[in-house]
Amino acid sequence: MVDQKIITLLTLAKTGNYTKAADILCITQPAVSHQIRLLEAQYGIKIFTKGRKGLKTTPEGDILLEYARKAVSLSERVKQAIEDSRNCIQRFTVGVTPTLGESIVSQIFAPYCREHPEAHIAIVTHNLKKIGNMLKLDEIDWAIVDGTIPGDEYASVLLDTDYLCLVVSPMHRFAKMKTVSLSELKKEKLIMRSPNTGTRTLFENHLLSRSEDIRNFNIIIEIDNITTIKELVSSNLGVSIIAHSACKAEEASGTLVVVPIQNLTMIREINCIFRKDSRHMEILEDIDKIYTNSDNM
């Protein structure tokens, strides 16, 4: 289903070298060059330029690569969908942001699989930016994220709202304070989610709305593992900004203390997002019902 020229293009883009691409594809180097020239003639563009470290794609080449990757992904998904249809299987690949990974799996996917025994679900966890790219390239069927993925091509259902909060160790001086100011927070060691994560982006945007900059804060550790962040904070190595839903159990047990930040309310959305042309649109309603029912239990 995918033209051999597209396979050659993707291989050459990955290796950045005609000889290496030819070795991988088991064809000659002139054959690789010929197929790239055919693509350039077909679309009337220059795909690659020579750089110091190998081939570099042009802006037009980047566009072609994006659609080439989508074509390969779509071809593989078509093959899998046909095979699944023969075996009466519904197979989904779902992207989930790290903050939601700990709760969403049991809260949504377990009930869904019980109600739909034909479902086979693969769950991938990445930051919001990566999940958005995967959805754009059809590498996942749908996503459940803390935040939003912009684009008119997407449909979404708001599952819930949450908020970001400051968490500290019971041993920390903030633990006995009713509120903490941003100026006081600047003096502390921060353990933060990595850049491009939904939590980090939301926090940074709220700082900007208060004419503050994340670079003025003392971030000592950046990590995407929520469990590790909570353990480090509980050990009083530093303080952190995380989703409240991610620390409810620790707050209840007293291993973490949630302290309000003065004049800073950081609401975040939890959304289930699909491409509008998805053949699985009906799942949106099922997921919404399951999540709503789990909140009422």
Side-chain angles (χ1 to χ4, degrees):
M1 191 171 179
V2 177
D3 193 291
Q4 182 60 40
K5 295 192 295 295
I6 297 298
I7 302 299
T8 301
L9 169 67
L10 293 174
T11 305
L12 184 56
K14 184 176 181 180
T15 61
N17 182 283
Y18 281 91
T19 302
K20 291 180 180 178
D23 290 341
I24 292 173
L25 296 168
C26 298
I27 59 177
T28 64
Q29 183 177 329
V32 173
S33 300
H34 177 67
Q35 293 193 37
I36 297 302
R37 286 197 298 271
L38 289 176
L39 279 174
E40 290 179 329
Q42 180 179 348
Y43 292 102
I45 63 173
K46 182 73 174 176
I47 300 175
F48 295 100
T49 59
K50 290 184 179 180
R52 292 182 179 179
K53 297 182 179 180
L55 295 176
K56 182 179 179 181
T57 50
T58 64
E60 295 84 0
D62 286 334
I63 294 173
L64 184 58
L65 276 172
E66 176 184 333
Y67 282 93
R69 292 186 181 105
K70 290 183 70 172
V72 171
S73 175
L74 182 60
S75 177
E76 293 301 318
R77 291 165 74 81
V78 167
K79 293 177 185 177
Q80 186 66 65
I82 291 172
E83 184 66 24
D84 290 344
S85 177
R86 291 175 180 148
N87 296 312
C88 299
I89 292 173
Q90 272 192 316
R91 191 183 305 272
F92 310 111
T93 302
V94 185
V96 180
T97 45
T99 301
L100 302 179
E102 297 180 5
S103 57
I104 288 296
V105 172
S106 59
Q107 202 168 353
I108 290 181
F109 296 122
Y112 185 87
C113 288
R114 280 196 295 268
E115 294 179 16
H116 302 272
E118 75 284 0
H120 291 210
I121 299 177
I123 301 169
V124 293
T125 303
H126 285 292
N127 63 42
L128 185 61
K129 182 178 181 180
K130 176 65 175 178
I131 292 293
N133 288 336
M134 294 181 74
L135 196 60
K136 183 178 181 180
L137 294 172
D138 287 318
E139 294 176 352
I140 56 176
D141 293 291
W142 37 289
I144 299 180
V145 301
D146 51 337
T148 60
I149 298 175
D152 295 335
E153 67 270 35
Y154 302 124
S156 66
V157 168
L158 178 64
L159 298 178
D160 203 350
T161 56
D162 192 8
Y163 65 92
L164 304 188
C165 61
L166 170 64
V167 289
V168 305
S169 164
M171 298 176 283
H172 195 278
R173 66 186 184 92
F174 284 174
K176 296 181 180 180
M177 298 173 66
K178 292 184 178 180
T179 60
V180 171
S181 67
L182 284 176
S183 60
E184 289 173 310
L185 187 57
K186 287 181 183 178
K187 302 172 186 176
E188 297 300 317
K189 296 177 180 178
L190 272 177
I191 301 167
M192 291 294 299
R193 297 284 304 284
S194 302
N196 297 322
T197 58
T199 299
R200 175 71 170 265
T201 300
L202 182 58
F203 180 52
E204 290 184 6
N205 288 340
H206 278 280
L207 289 180
L208 289 174
S209 72
R210 298 295 187 273
S211 300
E212 295 284 358
D213 193 309
I214 191 68
R215 290 173 293 185
N216 296 328
F217 290 76
N218 182 25
I219 299 175
I220 62 168
I221 296 176
E222 293 177 313
I223 186 171
D224 274 345
N225 189 294
I226 306 301
T227 299
T228 301
I229 289 176
K230 292 187 290 187
E231 289 174 350
L232 292 173
V233 172
S234 179
S235 300
N236 205 23
L237 183 63
V239 303
S240 186
I241 304 292
I242 62 175
H244 184 250
S245 60
C247 63
K248 285 182 178 179
E250 290 79 8
E251 183 184 20
S253 66
T255 56
L256 289 176
V257 178
V258 173
V259 184
I261 302 175
Q262 291 176 13
N263 303 316
L264 196 63
T265 302
M266 298 176 284
I267 303 297
R268 67 166 197 161
E269 297 180 353
I270 299 174
N271 288 296
C272 181
I273 301 177
F274 277 79
R275 293 182 61 90
K276 289 180 180 177
D277 58 2
S278 170
R279 64 190 181 92
H280 303 304
M281 285 290 292
E282 73 283 353
I283 297 176
L284 280 170
E285 185 176 346
D286 290 341
I287 295 300
D288 189 26
K289 288 180 180 178
I290 290 172
Y291 193 88
T292 302
N293 291 337
S294 68
D295 279 348
N296 293 330
M297 291 177 65

